[in-house]
């Protein structure tokens, strides 16, 4: 059964724009679960640009909610994650100047460090995932690192599809990597840049079990919810509510 992980970082981005409490990522997490999300993803970045420590603490304490915490390989982030005790952890690369996570981890370069990090989380019984590019060699290294899962970066595929370019080669790479990972006993996830169209294309890869989606869900929710909120305000202004 395929699962949907909802990334709510952008709720925090909107909240932070005003430095006030609304919209609350904590309530968004509860709301998403009620609406059918299988898990909630939050990325606690080193610069805390969206999700803050207190958000992470409150969200990780929601009973019955599966939380996937994305963090970098920074030692302080590992310590924070262990204190937060999420159900799942996904290690991602971080770069100060990026707008969002721009690529997968460099597994070859960071092999030793990643191995240590993963075994630390395993001891804590926290499911591990590595955010990687769709490269066959990286699937083999992921196996050596003994990660429970990999999340394949779908950003490049999504960009090709959105700009109406030929995406066959990229899709083939993702498919091949997913099949190999599954055969090696690694659970396969996909994420980044997904919208309705790209997700419809990727759902055909049966090896992918989890889809982590953020930006499009929050952006599209504006169009799904805008008319209701405007109607509410009109009722208030016209003294009908
Ligand atoms: N998966 C990972 C590892 C990510 O870093 C992100 C972005 O925070 C996502 C999924 C979600 O990507 P998007 O917001 O483009 O849907």
């Amino acid at each position: 059964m395929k699962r949907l992980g909802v990334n709510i970082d952008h709720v925090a981005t909107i909240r932070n724009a005003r430095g006030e409490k609304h919209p609350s990522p904590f309530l968004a997490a509860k709301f998403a679960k009620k609406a059918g999300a299988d898990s909630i993803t939050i990325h606690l970045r080193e610069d805390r640009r969206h999700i803050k420590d207190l958000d992470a603490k409150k969200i990780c304490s929601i009973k019955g909610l599966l939380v996937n915490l994305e963090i970098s390989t920074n030692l302080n982030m590992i310590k924070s994650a262990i204190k937060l005790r999420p159900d799942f952890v996904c290690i991602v690369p971080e770069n100060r100047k990026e707008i969002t996570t721009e690529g997968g981890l460099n597994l070859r370069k960071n092999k030793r460090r990643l191995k240590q990090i993963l075994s630390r989380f395993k001891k804590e019984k926290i499911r591990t995932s590595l955010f990687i590019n769709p490269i066959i060699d990286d699937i083999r290294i992921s196996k050596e690192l003994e990660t429970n899962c990999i999340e394949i970066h779908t950003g490049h595929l999504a960009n090709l599809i959105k700009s109406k370019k030929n995406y066959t080669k990229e899709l083939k790479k993702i498919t091949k990597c997913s099949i190999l990972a599954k055969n090696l006993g690694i659970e396969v996830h996909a994420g980044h840049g997904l919208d309705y169209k790209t997700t419809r294309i990727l759902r055909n890869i049966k090896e992918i079990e989890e889809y982590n989606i953020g930006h499009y869900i929050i952006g599209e929710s504006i169009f799904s919810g805008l008319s209701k909120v405007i109607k509410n305000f009109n009722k208030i202004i016209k003294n009908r509510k």
Side-chain angles (χ1 to χ4, degrees):
M1 191 61 172
K2 293 186 180 269
R3 302 186 303 268
L4 173 65
V6 176
N7 181 316
I8 55 164
D9 293 344
H10 293 297
V11 176
T13 304
I14 299 170
R15 188 255 335 253
N16 297 351
R18 280 287 175 99
E20 293 171 13
K21 290 188 177 163
H22 187 271
S24 150
F26 173 76
L27 288 182
K30 287 187 153 183
F31 210 88
K33 180 178 183 252
K34 212 169 150 201
D38 293 296
S39 58
I40 296 295
T41 293
I42 49 173
H43 185 171
L44 188 64
R45 294 187 69 105
E46 289 168 32
D47 61 11
R48 307 297 196 270
R49 71 170 71 151
H50 37 59
I51 293 290
K52 311 281 184 200
D53 293 85
L54 187 60
D55 297 322
K57 191 173 168 194
K58 284 169 72 182
I59 290 166
C60 287
S61 69
I62 299 174
K63 291 243 160 17
L65 179 80
L66 292 173
V67 180
N68 175 35
L69 180 69
E70 291 177 2
I71 47 158
S72 72
T73 55
N74 176 295
L75 183 61
N76 288 329
M77 298 314 304
I78 311 296
K79 285 184 187 161
S80 297
I82 286 167
K83 266 200 217 142
L84 286 164
R85 297 216 54 79
D87 306 275
F88 316 140
V89 80
C90 180
I91 312 295
V92 300
E94 249 184 58
N95 158 7
R96 282 297 61 75
K97 291 199 185 91
E98 68 192 1
I99 294 172
T100 179
T101 320
E102 281 168 356
L105 292 157
N106 185 335
L107 297 191
R108 191 161 286 291
K109 190 172 155 209
N110 300 298
K111 232 169 160 177
R112 246 180 59 150
R113 172 109 192 90
L114 285 167
K115 181 97 178 166
Q116 285 168 348
I117 294 172
L118 295 183
S119 74
R120 185 77 188 85
F121 283 116
K122 276 203 177 154
K123 263 190 216 141
E124 301 289 334
K125 302 210 169 2
I126 295 172
R127 186 193 79 174
T128 60
S129 184
L130 296 172
F131 191 46
I132 64 167
N133 295 312
I135 300 171
I136 288 289
D137 201 32
D138 281 357
I139 305 295
R140 299 200 193 283
I141 301 175
S142 299
K143 177 67 183 168
E144 279 177 49
L145 294 174
E146 298 181 61
T147 183
N148 301 122
C149 319
I150 50 159
E151 181 170 325
I152 298 181
H153 193 302
T154 53
H156 185 46
L157 175 82
N159 285 339
L160 292 171
I161 295 172
K162 286 174 202 170
S163 52
K164 299 194 171 20
K165 292 194 178 134
N166 190 333
Y167 61 86
T168 321
K169 208 169 137 202
E170 185 67 11
L171 187 62
K172 263 192 194 148
K173 271 165 62 179
I174 296 176
T175 308
K176 276 189 176 172
C177 287
S178 303
I179 293 170
L180 176 63
K182 174 92 180 173
N183 286 342
L184 292 173
I186 306 170
E187 189 176 302
V188 185
H189 306 162
H192 216 283
L194 299 181
D195 59 8
Y196 291 140
K197 189 171 177 187
T198 42
T199 306
R200 273 196 192 98
I201 290 168
L202 281 169
R203 76 176 167 197
N204 297 322
I205 303 176
K206 67 177 192 314
E207 288 76 14
I208 301 177
E209 290 184 40
E210 187 176 299
Y211 297 78
N212 288 311
I213 309 175
H215 185 84
Y216 191 80
I217 290 182
I218 304 304
E220 189 61 14
S221 301
I222 295 174
F223 302 112
S224 302
L226 198 58
S227 90
K228 187 173 173 200
V229 179
I230 290 173
K231 278 182 191 136
N232 284 344
F233 270 110
N234 254 326
K235 280 184 198 159
I236 292 167
I237 290 164
K238 280 143 197 154
N239 246 335
R240 281 187 266 122
K241 196 171 182 181

